[in-house]
Amino acid sequence: MSKPGFTRAEPDARRLSLIAATARVLARDGASGASVRAIAVEAAVSPGLVAHHFGGVDALIAATYAHVGEQVAAALDAAVAAAGSDPQARLIAYVTASFAPSIADRNLLATWTAFWGLVIARGEIAALHDTQYARYRAELERLLAACGLQSSARRRAAISIAALVDGLWLELCLSPAILDADEARAIAQAHIAALFQSHPAPPN
């Protein structure tokens, strides 16, 4: 096997390149296959650059988890911004953005699956997981509040929506012939409508 042709790049570009390579290795080989050497070969750099930029593979995997989570969060935020000013449209946009092809993607699922396998074993990954999901639920609660959902119902509503989205997202990635994005959106919208029927806004 020939050695990779090593190239030079600016530090920020090199870090992003290593993060992208780590995501590909995780998707292809799982967490057990994400060694310094495998990532270095994927990124076409020397193994020493992993230590130089991240200190080791654990920190690189954590940085990759954070980066992937930030990309998904940015896509959801962009969907809300594009939905205009109507509170319900913004809520629906945030919830259903996860069903877009760029997120309901098998490669992304494979990367997330590798991350999830590390949540129990690695405290740093677990902390990142908690932070990312807390942000998602907090944004859901804020959007639900803007729609008038009672404050006492917002936490459980946000948890139920998050769980539903995760399940629909998995089905979209794993069984696209059975469930498509339009049907996933319809299911999510029906769930949200039921939440508001169960907890109507108090009269003005």
Side-chain angles (χ1 to χ4, degrees):
M1 177 176 171
S2 62
K3 293 183 179 180
F6 301 135
T7 58
R8 294 183 181 276
E10 294 297 321
D12 286 348
R14 178 61 72 204
R15 286 176 63 87
L16 287 174
S17 175
L18 286 167
I19 285 170
T22 303
R24 293 193 299 271
V25 171
L26 286 167
R28 185 183 66 232
D29 302 327
S32 62
S35 65
V36 168
R37 176 169 175 75
I39 293 166
V41 169
E42 182 70 25
V45 301
S46 66
L49 278 179
V50 174
H52 174 73
H53 286 289
F54 293 96
V57 71
D58 288 351
L60 176 51
I61 290 173
T64 303
Y65 188 104
H67 181 75
V68 172
E70 288 165 5
Q71 287 186 310
V72 172
L76 303 188
D77 291 344
V80 172
S85 59
D86 180 73
Q88 290 196 14
R90 290 169 65 84
L91 172 62
I92 296 299
Y94 188 73
V95 171
T96 61
S98 292
F99 310 144
S102 60
I103 299 179
D105 175 80
R106 284 191 170 188
N107 287 328
L108 182 58
L109 170 61
T111 303
W112 277 120
T113 301
F115 288 140
W116 290 336
L118 296 171
V119 167
I120 296 175
R122 299 188 186 181
E124 187 173 5
I125 299 297
L128 286 168
H129 171 84
D130 290 346
T131 297
Q132 289 181 2
Y133 271 78
R135 174 189 170 179
Y136 182 73
R137 290 192 301 269
E139 182 63 11
L140 278 173
E141 289 191 46
R142 187 184 71 80
L143 292 166
L144 288 164
C147 292
L149 189 71
Q150 296 175 20
S151 59
S152 60
R154 288 176 203 153
R155 177 180 172 274
R156 286 191 176 183
I159 292 171
S160 73
I161 292 170
L164 178 67
V165 169
D166 279 347
L168 291 171
W169 177 73
L170 282 170
E171 285 300 312
L172 277 171
C173 293
L174 295 173
S175 305
I178 297 173
L179 177 72
D180 62 25
D182 288 340
E183 190 172 12
R185 291 187 189 98
I187 293 169
Q189 287 181 267
H191 178 72
I192 291 169
L195 288 173
F196 281 100
Q197 289 172 1
S198 299
H199 304 280
N204 293 326

mmCIF file with all atom_site columns, all heavy atoms in Angstrom, residues 135-147:
data_model
loop_
_atom_site.group_PDB
_atom_site.id
_atom_site.type_symbol
_atom_site.label_atom_id
_atom_site.label_alt_id
_atom_site.label_comp_id
_atom_site.label_asym_id
_atom_site.label_entity_id
_atom_site.label_seq_id
_atom_site.pdbx_PDB_ins_code
_atom_site.Cartn_x
_atom_site.Cartn_y
_atom_site.Cartn_z
_atom_site.occupancy
_atom_site.B_iso_or_equiv
_atom_site.pdbx_formal_charge
_atom_site.auth_seq_id
_atom_site.auth_comp_id
_atom_site.auth_asym_id
_atom_site.auth_atom_id
_atom_site.pdbx_PDB_model_num
ATOM 1   N N   . ARG A 1 135 ? -29.694 22.075 23.971 1.00 0.00 ? 135 ARG A N   1
ATOM 2   C CA  . ARG A 1 135 ? -29.922 23.230 23.107 1.00 0.00 ? 135 ARG A CA  1
ATOM 3   C C   . ARG A 1 135 ? -31.133 22.985 22.202 1.00 0.00 ? 135 ARG A C   1
ATOM 4   O O   . ARG A 1 135 ? -31.957 23.895 22.002 1.00 0.00 ? 135 ARG A O   1
ATOM 5   C CB  . ARG A 1 135 ? -28.685 23.494 22.239 1.00 0.00 ? 135 ARG A CB  1
ATOM 6   C CG  . ARG A 1 135 ? -28.932 24.600 21.220 1.00 0.00 ? 135 ARG A CG  1
ATOM 7   C CD  . ARG A 1 135 ? -27.828 24.762 20.205 1.00 0.00 ? 135 ARG A CD  1
ATOM 8   N NE  . ARG A 1 135 ? -28.270 25.671 19.150 1.00 0.00 ? 135 ARG A NE  1
ATOM 9   C CZ  . ARG A 1 135 ? -27.527 26.039 18.126 1.00 0.00 ? 135 ARG A CZ  1
ATOM 10  N NH1 . ARG A 1 135 ? -26.303 25.594 17.995 1.00 0.00 ? 135 ARG A NH1 1
ATOM 11  N NH2 . ARG A 1 135 ? -28.007 26.859 17.212 1.00 0.00 ? 135 ARG A NH2 1
ATOM 12  N N   . TYR A 1 136 ? -31.243 21.788 21.652 1.00 0.00 ? 136 TYR A N   1
ATOM 13  C CA  . TYR A 1 136 ? -32.373 21.475 20.767 1.00 0.00 ? 136 TYR A CA  1
ATOM 14  C C   . TYR A 1 136 ? -33.695 21.596 21.518 1.00 0.00 ? 136 TYR A C   1
ATOM 15  O O   . TYR A 1 136 ? -34.649 22.210 21.035 1.00 0.00 ? 136 TYR A O   1
ATOM 16  C CB  . TYR A 1 136 ? -32.189 20.065 20.207 1.00 0.00 ? 136 TYR A CB  1
ATOM 17  C CG  . TYR A 1 136 ? -33.270 19.639 19.232 1.00 0.00 ? 136 TYR A CG  1
ATOM 18  C CD1 . TYR A 1 136 ? -33.313 20.176 17.944 1.00 0.00 ? 136 TYR A CD1 1
ATOM 19  C CD2 . TYR A 1 136 ? -34.236 18.707 19.590 1.00 0.00 ? 136 TYR A CD2 1
ATOM 20  C CE1 . TYR A 1 136 ? -34.309 19.790 17.046 1.00 0.00 ? 136 TYR A CE1 1
ATOM 21  C CE2 . TYR A 1 136 ? -35.223 18.312 18.698 1.00 0.00 ? 136 TYR A CE2 1
ATOM 22  C CZ  . TYR A 1 136 ? -35.251 18.862 17.425 1.00 0.00 ? 136 TYR A CZ  1
ATOM 23  O OH  . TYR A 1 136 ? -36.230 18.486 16.546 1.00 0.00 ? 136 TYR A OH  1
ATOM 24  N N   . ARG A 1 137 ? -33.749 21.022 22.716 1.00 0.00 ? 137 ARG A N   1
ATOM 25  C CA  . ARG A 1 137 ? -34.987 21.086 23.492 1.00 0.00 ? 137 ARG A CA  1
ATOM 26  C C   . ARG A 1 137 ? -35.298 22.510 23.933 1.00 0.00 ? 137 ARG A C   1
ATOM 27  O O   . ARG A 1 137 ? -36.468 22.921 23.947 1.00 0.00 ? 137 ARG A O   1
ATOM 28  C CB  . ARG A 1 137 ? -34.890 20.156 24.708 1.00 0.00 ? 137 ARG A CB  1
ATOM 29  C CG  . ARG A 1 137 ? -34.902 18.674 24.355 1.00 0.00 ? 137 ARG A CG  1
ATOM 30  C CD  . ARG A 1 137 ? -35.099 17.818 25.590 1.00 0.00 ? 137 ARG A CD  1
ATOM 31  N NE  . ARG A 1 137 ? -34.049 18.037 26.579 1.00 0.00 ? 137 ARG A NE  1
ATOM 32  C CZ  . ARG A 1 137 ? -32.923 17.339 26.625 1.00 0.00 ? 137 ARG A CZ  1
ATOM 33  N NH1 . ARG A 1 137 ? -32.703 16.377 25.741 1.00 0.00 ? 137 ARG A NH1 1
ATOM 34  N NH2 . ARG A 1 137 ? -32.031 17.589 27.546 1.00 0.00 ? 137 ARG A NH2 1
ATOM 35  N N   . ALA A 1 138 ? -34.270 23.275 24.281 1.00 0.00 ? 138 ALA A N   1
ATOM 36  C CA  . ALA A 1 138 ? -34.498 24.662 24.696 1.00 0.00 ? 138 ALA A CA  1
ATOM 37  C C   . ALA A 1 138 ? -35.071 25.487 23.549 1.00 0.00 ? 138 ALA A C   1
ATOM 38  O O   . ALA A 1 138 ? -35.965 26.327 23.756 1.00 0.00 ? 138 ALA A O   1
ATOM 39  C CB  . ALA A 1 138 ? -33.192 25.276 25.193 1.00 0.00 ? 138 ALA A CB  1
ATOM 40  N N   . GLU A 1 139 ? -34.570 25.254 22.336 1.00 0.00 ? 139 GLU A N   1
ATOM 41  C CA  . GLU A 1 139 ? -35.102 25.974 21.184 1.00 0.00 ? 139 GLU A CA  1
ATOM 42  C C   . GLU A 1 139 ? -36.533 25.551 20.900 1.00 0.00 ? 139 GLU A C   1
ATOM 43  O O   . GLU A 1 139 ? -37.385 26.390 20.563 1.00 0.00 ? 139 GLU A O   1
ATOM 44  C CB  . GLU A 1 139 ? -34.213 25.741 19.965 1.00 0.00 ? 139 GLU A CB  1
ATOM 45  C CG  . GLU A 1 139 ? -34.643 26.488 18.710 1.00 0.00 ? 139 GLU A CG  1
ATOM 46  C CD  . GLU A 1 139 ? -34.596 27.998 18.832 1.00 0.00 ? 139 GLU A CD  1
ATOM 47  O OE1 . GLU A 1 139 ? -34.037 28.509 19.830 1.00 0.00 ? 139 GLU A OE1 1
ATOM 48  O OE2 . GLU A 1 139 ? -35.114 28.685 17.929 1.00 0.00 ? 139 GLU A OE2 1
ATOM 49  N N   . LEU A 1 140 ? -36.828 24.266 21.055 1.00 0.00 ? 140 LEU A N   1
ATOM 50  C CA  . LEU A 1 140 ? -38.201 23.801 20.899 1.00 0.00 ? 140 LEU A CA  1
ATOM 51  C C   . LEU A 1 140 ? -39.118 24.482 21.917 1.00 0.00 ? 140 LEU A C   1
ATOM 52  O O   . LEU A 1 140 ? -40.214 24.943 21.569 1.00 0.00 ? 140 LEU A O   1
ATOM 53  C CB  . LEU A 1 140 ? -38.279 22.286 21.082 1.00 0.00 ? 140 LEU A CB  1
ATOM 54  C CG  . LEU A 1 140 ? -37.926 21.416 19.880 1.00 0.00 ? 140 LEU A CG  1
ATOM 55  C CD1 . LEU A 1 140 ? -37.891 19.947 20.291 1.00 0.00 ? 140 LEU A CD1 1
ATOM 56  C CD2 . LEU A 1 140 ? -38.909 21.620 18.728 1.00 0.00 ? 140 LEU A CD2 1
ATOM 57  N N   . GLU A 1 141 ? -38.680 24.553 23.160 1.00 0.00 ? 141 GLU A N   1
ATOM 58  C CA  . GLU A 1 141 ? -39.497 25.202 24.188 1.00 0.00 ? 141 GLU A CA  1
ATOM 59  C C   . GLU A 1 141 ? -39.726 26.671 23.857 1.00 0.00 ? 141 GLU A C   1
ATOM 60  O O   . GLU A 1 141 ? -40.831 27.205 24.069 1.00 0.00 ? 141 GLU A O   1
ATOM 61  C CB  . GLU A 1 141 ? -38.842 25.055 25.558 1.00 0.00 ? 141 GLU A CB  1
ATOM 62  C CG  . GLU A 1 141 ? -38.903 23.632 26.111 1.00 0.00 ? 141 GLU A CG  1
ATOM 63  C CD  . GLU A 1 141 ? -38.488 23.560 27.572 1.00 0.00 ? 141 GLU A CD  1
ATOM 64  O OE1 . GLU A 1 141 ? -38.955 24.404 28.370 1.00 0.00 ? 141 GLU A OE1 1
ATOM 65  O OE2 . GLU A 1 141 ? -37.685 22.670 27.916 1.00 0.00 ? 141 GLU A OE2 1
ATOM 66  N N   . ARG A 1 142 ? -38.704 27.347 23.341 1.00 0.00 ? 142 ARG A N   1
ATOM 67  C CA  . ARG A 1 142 ? -38.855 28.756 22.983 1.00 0.00 ? 142 ARG A CA  1
ATOM 68  C C   . ARG A 1 142 ? -39.866 28.922 21.852 1.00 0.00 ? 142 ARG A C   1
ATOM 69  O O   . ARG A 1 142 ? -40.724 29.814 21.895 1.00 0.00 ? 142 ARG A O   1
ATOM 70  C CB  . ARG A 1 142 ? -37.492 29.326 22.558 1.00 0.00 ? 142 ARG A CB  1
ATOM 71  C CG  . ARG A 1 142 ? -37.500 30.830 22.329 1.00 0.00 ? 142 ARG A CG  1
ATOM 72  C CD  . ARG A 1 142 ? -36.161 31.307 21.812 1.00 0.00 ? 142 ARG A CD  1
ATOM 73  N NE  . ARG A 1 142 ? -35.933 30.873 20.434 1.00 0.00 ? 142 ARG A NE  1
ATOM 74  C CZ  . ARG A 1 142 ? -36.461 31.473 19.382 1.00 0.00 ? 142 ARG A CZ  1
ATOM 75  N NH1 . ARG A 1 142 ? -37.276 32.506 19.522 1.00 0.00 ? 142 ARG A NH1 1
ATOM 76  N NH2 . ARG A 1 142 ? -36.191 31.036 18.168 1.00 0.00 ? 142 ARG A NH2 1
ATOM 77  N N   . LEU A 1 143 ? -39.786 28.057 20.859 1.00 0.00 ? 143 LEU A N   1
ATOM 78  C CA  . LEU A 1 143 ? -40.718 28.132 19.734 1.00 0.00 ? 143 LEU A CA  1
ATOM 79  C C   . LEU A 1 143 ? -42.136 27.751 20.167 1.00 0.00 ? 143 LEU A C   1
ATOM 80  O O   . LEU A 1 143 ? -43.117 28.344 19.697 1.00 0.00 ? 143 LEU A O   1
ATOM 81  C CB  . LEU A 1 143 ? -40.239 27.211 18.609 1.00 0.00 ? 143 LEU A CB  1
ATOM 82  C CG  . LEU A 1 143 ? -38.940 27.652 17.913 1.00 0.00 ? 143 LEU A CG  1
ATOM 83  C CD1 . LEU A 1 143 ? -38.380 26.518 17.069 1.00 0.00 ? 143 LEU A CD1 1
ATOM 84  C CD2 . LEU A 1 143 ? -39.177 28.887 17.055 1.00 0.00 ? 143 LEU A CD2 1
ATOM 85  N N   . LEU A 1 144 ? -42.260 26.780 21.054 1.00 0.00 ? 144 LEU A N   1
ATOM 86  C CA  . LEU A 1 144 ? -43.568 26.398 21.581 1.00 0.00 ? 144 LEU A CA  1
ATOM 87  C C   . LEU A 1 144 ? -44.183 27.546 22.389 1.00 0.00 ? 144 LEU A C   1
ATOM 88  O O   . LEU A 1 144 ? -45.390 27.796 22.317 1.00 0.00 ? 144 LEU A O   1
ATOM 89  C CB  . LEU A 1 144 ? -43.441 25.146 22.446 1.00 0.00 ? 144 LEU A CB  1
ATOM 90  C CG  . LEU A 1 144 ? -43.179 23.829 21.694 1.00 0.00 ? 144 LEU A CG  1
ATOM 91  C CD1 . LEU A 1 144 ? -42.677 22.758 22.654 1.00 0.00 ? 144 LEU A CD1 1
ATOM 92  C CD2 . LEU A 1 144 ? -44.442 23.349 20.980 1.00 0.00 ? 144 LEU A CD2 1
ATOM 93  N N   . ALA A 1 145 ? -43.347 28.237 23.156 1.00 0.00 ? 145 ALA A N   1
ATOM 94  C CA  . ALA A 1 145 ? -43.830 29.378 23.931 1.00 0.00 ? 145 ALA A CA  1
ATOM 95  C C   . ALA A 1 145 ? -44.343 30.475 23.009 1.00 0.00 ? 145 ALA A C   1
ATOM 96  O O   . ALA A 1 145 ? -45.382 31.102 23.279 1.00 0.00 ? 145 ALA A O   1
ATOM 97  C CB  . ALA A 1 145 ? -42.710 29.911 24.824 1.00 0.00 ? 145 ALA A CB  1
ATOM 98  N N   . ALA A 1 146 ? -43.622 30.707 21.908 1.00 0.00 ? 146 ALA A N   1
ATOM 99  C CA  . ALA A 1 146 ? -44.051 31.735 20.956 1.00 0.00 ? 146 ALA A CA  1
ATOM 100 C C   . ALA A 1 146 ? -45.388 31.385 20.325 1.00 0.00 ? 146 ALA A C   1
ATOM 101 O O   . ALA A 1 146 ? -46.137 32.279 19.904 1.00 0.00 ? 146 ALA A O   1
ATOM 102 C CB  . ALA A 1 146 ? -42.981 31.916 19.878 1.00 0.00 ? 146 ALA A CB  1
ATOM 103 N N   . CYS A 1 147 ? -45.707 30.099 20.277 1.00 0.00 ? 147 CYS A N   1
ATOM 104 C CA  . CYS A 1 147 ? -46.997 29.640 19.724 1.00 0.00 ? 147 CYS A CA  1
ATOM 105 C C   . CYS A 1 147 ? -48.104 29.643 20.773 1.00 0.00 ? 147 CYS A C   1
ATOM 106 O O   . CYS A 1 147 ? -49.263 29.348 20.449 1.00 0.00 ? 147 CYS A O   1
ATOM 107 C CB  . CYS A 1 147 ? -46.850 28.240 19.144 1.00 0.00 ? 147 CYS A CB  1
ATOM 108 S SG  . CYS A 1 147 ? -45.822 28.151 17.666 1.00 0.00 ? 147 CYS A SG  1
#
